[in-house]
């Protein structure tokens, strides 16, 4: 499994932004990332200064959101939606977007759920809990939990 370092992940955002500014042809993934970057003008000044922000720390005590974590969660949701994984997430996303009339706001709602699931996994150990994530997204739509719990990928024996 590919697991980029923090610098690699941030570098990808910086490189995509620079390619866009220089009119360089982008890969399909870079096009997806660029659309997310464009939707976040509040981060453009950061993207214009990789030398300053490549190693920057953003801690909760600073009271600011880590822009790279925020952007990365957008990318994760776009990937989930594109492959409908976990199964049904594409439909839930579409319902949220329809309810809000805004795909960006729908992504932010899903990001809250994704962040909660990640926090819970880090806090209590174990891997990500797909049931926690799906239940949270369904809750944003006023739906209850699914009738049958899903098998988490970490629970599948090798």
């Amino acid at each position: 499994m590919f697991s980029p370092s923090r610098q690699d992940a941030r570098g990808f955002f910086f490189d995509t932004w620079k390619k866009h500014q220089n009119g360089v042809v982008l890969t399909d993934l870079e096009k997806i990332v660029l659309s997310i970057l464009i939707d976040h003008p509040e981060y453009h000044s950061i993207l214009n200064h990789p030398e300053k922000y490549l190693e920057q720390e953003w801690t909760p005590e600073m009271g600011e959101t880590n822009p790279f974590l925020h952007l990365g969660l957008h990318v994760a949701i776009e990937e989930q939606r594109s492959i409908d994984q976990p199964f049904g997430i594409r439909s839930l996303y579409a319902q949220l977007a329809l309810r809000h009339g805004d795909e960006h706001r729908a992504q932010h709602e899903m990001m809250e759920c994704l962040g909660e699931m990640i926090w819970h996994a880090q806090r209590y150990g174990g891997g990500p809990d797909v049931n926690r994530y799906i239940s949270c997204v369904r809750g944003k739509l006023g739906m209850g939990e699914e009738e049958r719990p899903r098998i988490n990928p970490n629970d599948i024996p090798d």
Side-chain angles (χ1 to χ4, degrees):
M1 175 179 263
F2 179 65
S3 183
S5 69
R6 179 175 84 168
Q7 290 79 10
D8 291 339
R10 289 181 179 188
F12 186 75
F13 289 117
F14 288 128
D15 292 345
T16 299
W17 186 246
K18 185 172 184 167
K19 284 181 177 181
H20 163 67
Q21 290 179 315
N22 292 331
V24 175
V25 176
L26 302 175
T27 66
D28 289 342
L29 179 57
E30 289 169 335
K31 289 175 187 175
I32 292 168
V33 168
L34 178 62
S35 71
I36 294 165
L37 299 178
I38 288 171
D39 283 345
H40 289 84
E42 68 274 25
Y43 299 145
H44 292 177
S45 62
I46 291 170
L47 295 166
N48 287 328
H49 297 96
E51 69 288 343
K52 182 175 179 182
Y53 294 105
L54 181 65
E55 299 294 334
Q56 173 74 40
E57 294 288 337
W58 281 271
T59 62
E61 297 79 26
M62 294 171 64
E64 295 180 325
T65 299
N66 179 330
F68 299 102
L69 173 60
H70 183 87
L71 296 168
L73 289 173
H74 273 292
V75 173
I77 289 168
E78 278 298 313
E79 180 181 24
Q80 290 175 352
R81 186 173 68 103
S82 74
I83 62 173
D84 199 24
Q85 194 58 250
F87 178 74
I89 201 72
R90 183 184 295 143
S91 173
L92 293 172
Y93 173 89
Q95 291 174 62
L96 276 173
L98 186 62
R99 172 171 282 183
H100 295 302
D102 181 357
E103 287 194 35
H104 193 85
R105 184 164 171 205
Q107 286 191 4
H108 278 241
E109 292 248 343
M110 290 177 66
M111 285 170 63
E112 290 176 19
C113 295
L114 190 56
E116 178 185 307
M117 179 195 64
I118 292 167
W119 177 86
H120 192 271
Q122 290 175 337
R123 172 83 183 206
Y124 298 106
D129 183 346
V130 69
N131 293 297
R132 177 177 298 280
Y133 179 47
I134 292 293
S135 292
C136 180
V137 175
R138 288 174 59 93
K140 302 268 183 198
L141 291 162
M143 304 164 90
E145 291 184 12
E146 293 181 299
E147 290 182 25
R148 292 188 333 182
R150 298 170 183 232
I151 297 174
N152 281 303
N154 302 13
D155 298 339
I156 298 171
D158 293 333

